[in-house]
Amino acid sequence: MATWNNWVTAAEKLNFEKIVIVQKSNDTIIAANKDADITTMFQFKPSWKSAIKGDMIITNWFRSNCCKTEETKENVFPDDVKNLCLQYRYAVNEMEELKKDWKNNRSVGTIHLFGDKYFVVHRDEKDGNWIVGRLEDNCVFGWEGKTIWFVVAAPIKGNHSAKSGVDQSKLKPIQSLFADFMRNIVYPLQEAKC
């Protein structure tokens, strides 16, 4: 495949906002669009709000011993304590997420890509070549070929608020978007033995 950017363009035409193609042999990003923030792609950093809800072990002690009600969770810690807790945040190497056995239900219930934690809603249980993740009104699709990983993310038809600026008329349901991804990206790449 001489020009991987053509595949990125094809995915953008399908309304994917974040697109990245990774060379499997050396874990190198060979193509990406401008919205796929590849500088932070390899580290999942939970926000303070997700940390206080229990994604971080260190805050669980604080939460159980200091937070008495739902209302006080946001205000119970001074900023210096918040910053100290966030220094201990865990990092997820997204390249390792791509290397996981996607067909295994027990090892892959969530997948961290593009800086977000998606819940796996569908997968290739036979060969483990593709995975579908969802986070609220957003989705991520990953496909593992012979030589590359192709990962895309997009908003899906859902309950986007008017404030979000998302044009609902251009959004598709996750099933339709996944069918487009397979038909227009995956199947041609499989035929090209990528």
Side-chain angles (χ1 to χ4, degrees), residues 156-185:
I156 54 176
K157 198 168 214 64
N159 297 325
H160 295 278
S161 70
K163 293 179 185 177
S164 68
V166 175
D167 182 3
Q168 285 283 333
S169 65
K170 293 183 179 180
L171 299 182
K172 297 180 179 181
I174 193 169
Q175 298 88 343
S176 176
L177 202 55
F178 180 66
D180 288 348
F181 174 68
M182 296 299 284
R183 182 175 41 255
N184 297 300
I185 303 292

Side-chain angles (χ1 to χ4, degrees), residues 117-133:
K117 178 180 175 182
Y118 294 87
F119 295 95
V120 175
V121 294
H122 198 40
R123 69 181 80 236
D124 177 3
E125 293 178 357
K126 182 181 176 205
D127 299 318
N129 291 334
W130 52 264
I131 196 162
V132 177

Side-chain angles (χ1 to χ4, degrees), residues 50-91:
S50 71
I52 197 68
K53 290 179 183 171
D55 286 348
M56 292 177 15
I57 294 170
I58 193 166
T59 59
N60 282 339
W61 180 86
F62 286 115
R63 189 166 51 103
S64 61
N65 291 299
C66 301
C67 300
K68 302 299 179 202
T69 67
E70 194 68 32
E71 298 80 41
T72 61
K73 284 186 181 180
E74 291 297 321
N75 302 319
V76 76
F77 305 116
D79 285 340
D80 56 337
V81 174
K82 288 180 188 178
N83 293 335
L84 176 66
C85 291
L86 289 176
Q87 286 177 5
Y88 290 99
R89 69 179 173 254
Y90 61 92

Side-chain angles (χ1 to χ4, degrees), residues 3-8 19-23 28-33 36 38 149-151:
T3 114
W4 291 109
N5 288 330
N6 290 347
W7 290 102
V8 170
I19 305 148
V20 68
I21 304 171
V22 178
Q23 184 73 41
T28 303
I29 295 173
I30 54 177
N33 72 335
I38 59 175
W149 284 290
F150 201 112
V151 184

Side-chain angles (χ1 to χ4, degrees), residues 83-146:
N83 293 335
L84 176 66
C85 291
L86 289 176
Q87 286 177 5
Y88 290 99
R89 69 179 173 254
Y90 61 92
V92 174
N93 182 336
E94 293 187 3
M95 199 60 72
E96 293 303 317
E97 293 286 284
L98 295 177
K99 294 176 183 179
K100 282 184 177 179
D101 179 9
W102 289 350
K103 67 183 170 204
N104 187 338
N105 286 344
R106 293 178 189 233
S107 69
V108 185
T110 60
I111 188 162
H112 298 83
L113 293 168
F114 298 117
D116 285 317
K117 178 180 175 182
Y118 294 87
F119 295 95
V120 175
V121 294
H122 198 40
R123 69 181 80 236
D124 177 3
E125 293 178 357
K126 182 181 176 205
D127 299 318
N129 291 334
W130 52 264
I131 196 162
V132 177
R134 181 173 183 162
L135 175 65
E136 297 171 359
D137 292 332
N138 295 291
C139 68
V140 67
F141 305 141
W143 173 71
E144 179 180 4
K146 293 181 183 205

